[in-house]
Structures are given as C-alpha cells and as structure tokens.
Amino acid sequence: MKSLTMAAKVLRSSVQENILRIQKAFLDGVNAVQPHELIGKYLKQDTDKLFINGTQFDLQQNVYVVGFGKAVIGMLQPIQLALMTSKGESHLNRGILSVPFGIQRTLVNKLPLLPSETSYIEILEGAKENIPDEASFAASKKIVSLVKELGKQDLLLVLISGGGSALLPYPVPPLTLDEKSEMIRSLSHAGASITELNTVRKVLSVTKGGGLAKLTNARIVSLILSDIINSPIDMIASGPTVPNRDAPGAAEEILKKYNISTPECISTIIQKKTINSSLSQFPHVTNLIIGSNETALVGVEASVRDDSNSLSLVLSSALTGEASTAGRNIAELIVAMTHIMCGHQSELSEHLLLDLCVSVDKRKSITEILLKSSEFKYPIWLIFGGETTVTVRGSGRGGRNQEMVLSTSVALEEKLHGSEFIGEIIFLSGGTDGIDGPTDAAGALTYWCSSEIGIRSQAQEAREQGLIPEDFLGINDSYTYFTQLSAGQYLLKPGHTGTNVMDLQIIFINPK
C-alpha cells in the first residue's frame, strides 16, 4: 500500500488545496451550530429575572438543569453565566447531564464547550458508540429522580440534542435495557428511519414521548438543538417534554412493516400504551428550537462565499433514503451538471432532483450557476443536509456518510469515464457530531479530476493499491476501505464536535 506522502504526490497541488477547502467548509458549518454560541441568543438575565426568548421567569435560587445528547455539554457554560448574581452567587441549584462516552476528554481543548470547574452540574458519560448502556441508564435514573423532586416554584431547564434517545434510556418495567436495545437495533439494521425508531422508542420508554414532562409540575423550558429533518419537536430525542402525537398503534405497525419479531413483554407494553394513550397537554412546558441543520448549511455557504469568485447554492436540508443510493444519485447529478457545463443542451432531470430531496424550483438556479461557471471558470459549491440510512447486508464497519461517499466514488469513476469535462470534482459527506456510525470518523471525501498525469479518481487510486471499492461497498465496510486507502487521508476525523444537527454534504466542482 502506498504511503500518505506517495499518494499525495500523484494528486496535483490544486486538488490537494481544494480538499483542504472543502474540509474547512464542513468544519465552518459545524462551528455555526456550536451550542454555546446559539444558546446565548436566547437567555438574558436582569437582576432577579431571567428572560428566555422574551418570556420572563423569576429567579430565587430555584433553577435546575437536566440534559441529554451529544451537544448539551456545550449549552451549559452560557447558562451558568446567565444565572450568576452580581455577588458571585448562582440561581442554579443542581443539574445532571447525560453525555456521550469520552466527550469531555475530546473537548478538553475547547474550553467554551466545557462547564466551569465550580459547576453545580453532575456530568455522566455513557452510550458508548451511541448505543444505550448501563451507564446511560444509570444517568437516566438520576435525572428522573431529580425531576420528581421539583415543585411549581422551580424552573427546570431541559437541554436536548441529537443522541438524546441513547442517553436517556429508561425502559418501561419489566422490559430490560438489553431487550429494548435489541428491538431498536433490529429496526435500525432493517432500514427504519429515525422517525420510525423514535416512534417505537416512545412506547417502550418511561421518559420519552412526553414522559419526562409528566414527572413534575415545575416550569419547564426545553432548549433543543434539532437533529431531525424539519425539526419535529416530538421526535427529537424522542420528545421527552412534548406530548406524543403518534397515532395509536403506530409502533406496532412499524414493527410489522419491518417484520420484527415482538416478544410477549413488548407486545403487552405496546397494548397498554395504546389503550392508555391520550393527547396530553403540557401548559407548564415551553419547547424552543435553538439550532438545526439549516443553521449549519448557512454556515457552510458563508464559508465558501469568502471566495468572491465562487458560486454557491444550498440545495436541500432534507436528504434522506438509502446512503448508497443517495451516493449514486449524487454522482448522477454531478455528471448531469458537467454535461451542461460542457455546452450540451440538456436539462436536469426532475426525477433525479426529487430523488435527492431537491425542489424542482431549484433547477433554474442550478442551471444558471452552471452556465456562469462554464463561462467564467468559477468554482461551484452545492450544499446538502439531512440524514440517510444504511440497510446492513454485510459484516463490515462504517457509517452512512462513509458509505455514501464510497458509493459516489464508485459511480463517478464509472459515469465520468470518457467525459469531456476538464477540471476537478470533490464530494464530502460528514456527520456534524463528528461520529459516523460505530467509528471514530465523521465521514469521508472523494475526488475525480481530468489531469492527464497521475490519478484521475479516488477509485483508481484505490485499485492501484490493491483495493476493490465495489467489494467494500457490498459488505458495508466503508470505514475499513477508507482506513486502508492512502493511510486514511480521506477520512474526516474531528472527534466529538460538541454539536449535532445531522449530516452535511458538499459538492465542489472546479472547471479548468
């Protein structure tokens, strides 16, 4: 296998520079949704009053905080500052955060994301590799115990972000954590969407589907960083402070849809929940979305607009579907765009745009920037967001972003064979939380270029190193593929980012 240095030598310098540019654009998108920056826009203290998004709350050392998710630890510092008195005392009494395993170690050099050393908050790590475990279950029990102690005079701030479902597992007795986890795992492997997973989680949990809000009469304000398309608050972290709006029997229908075997204890729980279900109202709860995937997309576009000669367009924040299929569709879109840039009279397929969750109304704007780019040789940035899924058919290791990139890489090599297009193409897909599936990577990137010397595509680079991309794709082994390819240089490895608003995809086309 070639070393990193040797692999870099066969890429012309402009491709290497543009790989760095697209990585920076991704990280700028992630930085745009850092919770410590977002939450400060919603909180303001005035003597003994706290204003949250304009609503007033009296402060009498009566504030408590609970939180769960990949981004909640970064929300804490601005909250602590907002609750300090002029005498150096705090209106914050106590709190508990359930956060991902290892996140404090990862964020040790990012001080704005960590609470102060004098914090009244207990931080508990668990859910290693985003899987509910005994540590996160123990944290959930502590959170429930704290919430039950509060009264009407108290203010409870509930911090919620993506990953909250795994970090607030509390199965309905007598269901065990292992039994519940196995059920959710089976659904995930069968290709269930995040919405479907959360629908089932809610009926099997004490805390989800409004369960946490039912435990107390205290005033509750939930500050939510959304990790779901269109930000339905009843689905984010399975809606612990939101009335469950799912239709009776919805969970049972999902299990039938994916042909999941249901143990008797789970069937009994679902039936009881269905019988007792009613649309509860929570007048004591306020739920606020403080950031979402759209916020990150704006951050990416702002980053690439620093180059006045670049053209950019946000295409969608709703990319869904099978990751490998999305990857092939991305490649097909790139090929269609290069076809137009080469002067061929053609139109972007309406069917293709819809498959990529792009409004057909965007077609005119895309075509306009393609023609402008072709005329003036301006680089193009096309930006997506969303969350795809992977139906696991093999025994490999990877995540939806890495699988999408590998699929795109294979399809680009095939579809651009003999292309008239002269220039460079780079595609990146990464999770804003820094973790893609059960791996230490956020995602990956691939490239194709028309240089007459050196490697023309990443897939070709892989074949020269004895790697067959299609074989790795067939067994869902994208992480192993990108790890072995040129010493892993095409993997994105920022570690835990301290935030989570689904995924970002960036297409960069640089005509020559």
Side-chain angles (χ1 to χ4, degrees):
M1 181 179 294
K2 294 185 179 182
S3 69
L4 176 59
T5 303
M6 291 177 67
K9 284 181 179 178
V10 296
L11 285 175
R12 64 190 184 202
S13 60
S14 61
V15 177
Q16 296 177 50
E17 291 169 1
N18 289 326
I19 283 175
L20 294 176
R21 290 175 70 188
I22 199 171
Q23 289 173 329
K24 179 182 182 299
F26 168 74
L27 292 175
D28 285 344
V30 171
N31 289 335
V33 283
Q34 287 297 339
H36 68 283
E37 297 285 354
L38 294 171
I39 207 164
K41 301 175 183 178
Y42 288 84
L43 270 66
K44 182 181 178 182
Q45 184 190 7
D46 184 2
T47 60
D48 60 350
K49 308 291 183 185
L50 179 67
F51 294 88
I52 305 178
N53 200 36
T55 300
Q56 176 181 305
F57 298 89
D58 293 332
L59 295 176
Q60 299 174 342
Q61 285 77 45
N62 59 336
V63 183
Y64 298 80
V65 173
V66 298
F68 26 90
K70 298 175 182 178
V72 299
I73 197 169
M75 300 183 191
L76 193 52
Q77 194 175 94
I79 289 175
Q80 289 179 306
L81 291 174
L83 292 174
M84 292 298 294
T85 70
S86 58
K87 298 179 180 180
E89 300 173 343
S90 178
H91 290 287
L92 179 59
N93 260 321
R94 185 184 166 211
I96 301 169
L97 298 188
S98 178
V99 300
F101 178 83
I103 193 170
Q104 293 180 92
R105 183 180 67 253
T106 302
L107 299 178
V108 70
N109 294 321
K110 301 178 181 179
L111 294 180
L113 299 181
L114 292 176
S116 66
E117 294 181 357
T118 58
S119 172
Y120 297 96
I121 307 299
E122 185 178 6
I123 298 177
L124 304 171
E125 295 188 354
K128 190 173 184 179
E129 296 185 340
N130 203 31
I131 298 172
D133 55 19
E134 290 301 327
S136 57
F137 188 14
S140 302
K141 292 175 182 176
K142 285 194 170 187
I143 288 173
V144 166
S145 179
L146 171 60
V147 171
K148 284 182 174 179
E149 294 173 2
L150 306 182
K152 290 183 178 180
Q153 74 282 2
D154 296 316
L155 172 61
L156 175 64
L157 302 181
V158 181
L159 314 181
I160 303 174
S161 73
S165 288
L167 288 159
L168 193 71
Y170 204 126
V172 176
L175 187 64
T176 69
L177 181 61
D178 286 342
E179 288 170 333
K180 180 186 173 187
S181 297
E182 180 57 34
M183 176 63 62
I184 299 302
R185 191 178 304 115
S186 297
L187 275 170
S188 180
H189 285 180
S193 69
I194 184 66
T195 298
E196 290 172 323
L197 292 175
N198 283 347
T199 295
V200 175
R201 284 185 179 118
K202 282 188 279 187
V203 299
L204 301 181
S205 174
V206 170
T207 52
K208 297 173 172 61
L212 194 70
K214 294 177 181 178
L215 299 176
T216 182
N217 291 321
R219 294 286 302 274
I220 296 176
V221 178
S222 292
L223 301 167
I224 306 166
L225 193 61
S226 171
D227 71 328
I228 299 182
I229 290 168
N230 297 326
S231 302
I233 57 173
D234 59 324
M235 284 294 173
I236 302 167
S238 305
T241 59
V242 183
N244 187 359
R245 299 185 177 93
D246 295 331
E252 190 172 13
E253 289 301 315
I254 290 169
L255 293 171
K256 288 180 181 178
K257 173 183 174 180
Y258 292 101
N259 197 28
I260 303 298
S261 176
T262 308
E264 184 177 349
C265 64
I266 291 181
S267 296
T268 302
I269 290 169
I270 292 175
Q271 289 169 7
K272 285 183 178 179
K273 280 285 185 94
T274 301
I275 293 171
N276 297 328
S277 65
S278 61
L279 188 59
S280 302
Q281 299 299 323
F282 299 152
H284 63 305
V285 177
T286 301
N287 292 295
L288 294 174
I289 300 288
I290 64 170
S292 65
N293 187 260
E294 287 87 347
T295 314
L297 296 178
V298 170
V300 173
E301 190 170 29
S303 174
V304 303
R305 279 183 175 171
D306 287 345
D307 182 351
S308 59
N309 290 328
S310 288
L311 305 169
S312 62
L313 185 65
V314 173
L315 294 185
S316 175
S317 62
L319 182 62
T320 56
E322 192 73 22
S324 59
T325 302
R328 289 193 297 272
N329 288 336
I330 289 283
E332 188 175 336
L333 176 65
I334 291 170
V335 172
M337 292 190 297
T338 59
H339 200 64
I340 293 172
M341 295 172 75
C342 288
H344 298 291
Q345 296 297 318
S346 60
E347 232 182 23
L348 294 173
S349 161
E350 178 178 329
H351 179 72
L352 175 61
L353 293 177
L354 293 176
D355 282 346
L356 287 167
C357 307
V358 178
S359 168
V360 177
D361 294 339
K362 295 270 188 180
R363 182 159 56 185
K364 182 179 178 181
S365 298
I366 298 171
T367 302
E368 286 175 353
I369 68 171
L370 291 174
L371 295 176
K372 187 174 182 180
S373 171
S374 180
E375 181 179 359
F376 297 104
K377 304 304 178 188
Y378 289 161
I380 295 173
W381 299 83
L382 298 174
I383 308 160
F384 290 82
E387 186 167 285
T388 58
T389 56
V390 174
T391 301
V392 179
R393 297 183 176 89
S395 57
R397 188 180 182 202
R400 58 183 180 265
N401 290 286
Q402 295 162 76
E403 178 144 330
M404 187 191 301
V405 174
L406 177 52
S407 177
T408 302
S409 185
V410 170
L412 282 178
E413 182 190 44
E414 173 193 342
K415 295 176 181 294
L416 285 174
H417 180 72
S419 172
E420 298 175 29
F421 176 73
I422 299 181
E424 303 158 356
I425 297 163
I426 303 172
F427 173 64
L428 175 150
S429 184
T432 55
D433 60 353
I435 306 299
D436 186 33
T439 77
D440 60 353
L445 62 85
T446 188
Y447 69 89
W448 181 96
C449 66
S450 61
S451 175
E452 294 182 358
I453 59 172
I455 294 173
R456 295 189 62 208
S457 71
Q458 186 187 79
Q460 183 179 340
E461 179 180 338
R463 297 184 201 285
E464 292 189 359
Q465 296 178 27
L467 303 173
I468 302 176
E470 294 86 350
D471 289 352
F472 288 89
L473 186 60
I475 59 171
N476 308 110
D477 204 16
S478 54
Y479 179 75
T480 302
Y481 171 81
F482 282 111
T483 299
Q484 293 181 5
L485 175 59
S486 300
Q489 70 165 329
Y490 302 115
L491 283 170
L492 306 175
K493 288 191 174 184
H496 282 293
T497 61
T499 190
N500 182 28
V501 293
M502 301 187 292
D503 305 329
L504 299 175
Q505 290 81 32
I506 308 171
I507 298 171
F508 176 76
I509 302 176
N510 188 27
K512 297 294 184 181

